[in-house]
Amino acid sequence: MAYENINVNSLRRAINQVDNINSNNYDNVVNKLNSSEWSGGIINRIKTAINKNISEIKEIQKKLRNYQTACDYIEEYQDLDDDIRRYNNSLDSYKSDRDRYNSKLNSYKKTMRNYSSKEPEISRNYTQNKIDNYSWKLSNVNSKISDMNSKLSSAKSRQSALKTKIDNLIG
């Protein structure tokens, strides 16, 4: 199950509405039951039944706390999903830049190779400057791609860990 589309605020409100059960109220009832006011063994059966209900309420409260924690994890999961989308968009943009820079670099390198020995030095210098410039841009964009891939990998890894935590909490 993916958690991208869960409305965390609605889920929290629903959990909070259910979470107004208080087992202490039932504990007080059990403590107020006086054995001398009851005949036979019925008092023990009543206490046992109430204690069973108290145990169930405590189990429900534990699950609700787990669900509240899961809400925090789901929110982080969704934030990471937004980050991953942004990282992928940046990565696409950087890859497009890289392709454009490679094309320009190859074009200037081809121009440089095709210069005759009679080509003026200023033309060679201009072309070499362009080669250097696009080589630098290419190096820079490759570094950004590497950085973005690292961020993307880290975000996906954290998202996977969160998914496991959420599944364990609500499972």
Side-chain angles (χ1 to χ4, degrees):
M1 177 180 183
Y3 299 104
E4 292 87 352
N5 299 319
I6 292 176
N7 185 327
V8 177
N9 291 329
S10 293
L11 180 57
R12 278 196 173 111
R13 278 193 302 276
I15 291 170
N16 288 335
Q17 287 175 348
V18 175
D19 194 26
N20 62 6
I21 303 169
N22 189 346
S23 62
N24 292 335
N25 294 339
Y26 292 98
D27 280 333
N28 292 336
V29 169
V30 171
N31 292 332
K32 288 181 181 178
L33 291 175
N34 187 346
S35 300
S36 63
E37 295 175 359
W38 297 83
S39 63
I42 189 125
I43 187 70
N44 292 331
R45 288 195 304 266
I46 290 173
K47 285 184 177 182
T48 300
I50 291 174
N51 283 329
K52 182 179 177 190
N53 284 338
I54 291 171
S55 294
E56 289 175 6
I57 289 169
K58 286 181 179 179
E59 188 61 33
I60 290 169
Q61 287 174 323
K62 180 182 174 187
K63 285 183 185 266
L64 290 172
R65 283 190 302 276
N66 285 348
Y67 296 158
Q68 289 168 339
T69 301
C71 284
D72 294 337
Y73 291 154
I74 291 169
E75 206 164 46
E76 185 179 351
Y77 182 97
Q78 290 174 343
D79 289 345
L80 285 167
D81 201 54
D82 291 340
D83 289 346
I84 288 169
R85 198 172 2 272
R86 271 195 333 273
Y87 295 156
N88 278 324
N89 288 341
S90 292
L91 200 53
D92 289 344
S93 176
Y94 291 145
K95 286 179 178 179
S96 175
D97 289 347
R98 181 187 60 192
D99 292 346
R100 194 173 70 252
Y101 298 156
N102 263 327
S103 176
K104 292 282 192 178
L105 180 62
N106 289 333
S107 174
Y108 283 113
K109 283 181 175 181
K110 183 178 178 185
T111 300
M112 185 66 98
R113 281 191 304 269
N114 290 335
Y115 279 151
S116 69
S117 58
K118 295 178 180 165
E119 197 67 40
E121 188 66 27
I122 193 160
S123 295
R124 288 179 180 277
N125 286 340
Y126 173 81
T127 303
Q128 185 59 53
N129 283 338
K130 288 296 188 179
I131 290 171
D132 293 344
N133 182 44
Y134 282 106
S135 293
W136 176 83
K137 285 182 175 186
L138 194 56
S139 174
N140 192 29
V141 80
N142 281 332
S143 177
K144 288 179 181 180
I145 288 171
S146 177
D147 181 51
M148 203 52 57
N149 278 326
S150 177
K151 286 180 180 180
L152 190 58
S153 176
S154 178
K156 285 181 178 180
S157 176
R158 176 68 181 146
Q159 199 175 41
S160 178
L162 284 169
K163 184 180 181 317
T164 300
K165 284 182 176 185
I166 295 165
D167 289 346
N168 290 336
L169 282 171
I170 65 173

